Amino acid sequence: MEPLFNWESTALIVIDLQKGVVSGNYAPFSGEQVTEKAKALVDVFRKKGSFVGLVRVSSRDGKDMLSPKVDAAPPQRDRSEDWDEIIPEIGVTDTDHVISKKQWGAFYGTDLDLQLRRRKLDTIVLCGIASGIGVDTTAREAFQHGYQLIFASDAISGLTQNEHDYVMSAIFPRVGRIRTTEEILQSANR
């Protein structure tokens, strides 16, 4: 059986598991459930010496965030002093790369693509919150940059069940492969 991916050329990208985001209401998984699965992935990727990118949306005053006229505004976040800190369950180690974004996707206006290419990484395992915003936009950007994608299906959750179901069934299979956290972790034994 062909391995799911090569550890030497694969990065784990964790989307918005930060204090001001994880505490929200999500479906089908709670922030706590996503954190538990993501932590398992982070632990193995760190142990393997693979690239771990921790993405956070960060803007203290919100002035550099997009503010178009829309019919359905995204949820308002409490921007307390520590709202953009990576949650302690995941933490940040010296080997992690923290990506601070101002938009939905982790590529636009950041050094993520540069950091991956410098390390000759061609595959991304993606997890985090929210399915139809940060995860979806990052996935589409990664696809357009030519990366192979693997979605940790039980380590991703959306603002609503409908949003989550749509991207998981209609978008993600068209840009990558969908696997459970356990299936990804089983690759660690190969």
Side-chain angles (χ1 to χ4, degrees), residues 135-150:
V135 178
D136 179 44
T137 304
T138 299
R140 290 174 193 237
E141 291 171 337
F143 176 76
Q144 291 175 340
H145 279 83
Y147 292 100
Q148 301 296 319
L149 287 164
I150 301 167

Side-chain angles (χ1 to χ4, degrees), residues 3-186:
L4 185 56
F5 60 88
N6 179 327
W7 288 100
E8 290 76 38
S9 62
T10 301
L12 173 66
I13 303 299
V14 181
I15 304 295
D16 297 348
L17 293 190
Q18 62 191 70
K19 290 181 179 180
V21 172
V22 170
S23 59
N25 293 319
Y26 302 103
F29 307 108
S30 67
E32 183 178 277
Q33 290 170 310
V34 171
T35 297
E36 179 183 332
K37 298 292 186 176
K39 181 177 178 1
L41 290 166
V42 167
D43 289 347
V44 171
F45 271 76
R46 285 176 179 158
K47 181 179 175 186
K48 290 285 192 179
S50 297
F51 184 92
V52 174
L54 303 174
V55 179
R56 65 185 186 158
V57 60
S58 183
S59 177
R60 292 285 176 210
D61 60 9
K63 290 181 181 176
D64 54 0
M65 303 293 283
L66 294 174
S67 56
K69 293 180 170 112
V70 296
D71 288 332
Q76 294 301 307
R77 301 283 181 216
D78 172 26
R79 292 205 173 140
S80 58
E81 188 64 30
D82 64 352
W83 82 282
D84 62 351
E85 289 179 15
I86 303 298
I87 56 173
E89 296 87 341
I90 301 291
V92 178
T93 68
D94 291 340
T95 60
D96 298 335
H97 186 73
V98 177
I99 299 105
S100 295
K101 64 181 178 134
K102 308 294 184 197
Q103 314 305 331
W104 287 3
F107 283 87
Y108 184 83
T110 74
D111 70 343
L112 179 56
D113 184 52
L114 175 67
Q115 295 301 325
L116 297 174
R117 292 196 189 281
R118 282 185 174 170
R119 292 166 175 82
K120 298 183 179 14
L121 303 176
D122 62 12
T123 303
I124 295 172
V125 173
L126 198 54
C127 65
I129 296 173
S131 311
I133 299 178
V135 178
D136 179 44
T137 304
T138 299
R140 290 174 193 237
E141 291 171 337
F143 176 76
Q144 291 175 340
H145 279 83
Y147 292 100
Q148 301 296 319
L149 287 164
I150 301 167
F151 297 92
S153 62
D154 53 355
I156 299 171
S157 201
L159 297 176
T160 67
Q161 184 73 47
N162 286 342
E163 168 200 299
H164 180 80
D165 290 346
Y166 174 73
V167 294
M168 291 299 285
S169 65
I171 303 300
F172 294 169
R174 292 181 177 155
V175 297
R177 295 170 287 165
I178 300 172
R179 302 294 186 270
T180 65
T181 298
E182 186 57 36
E183 289 171 319
I184 294 166
L185 293 175
Q186 286 177 1

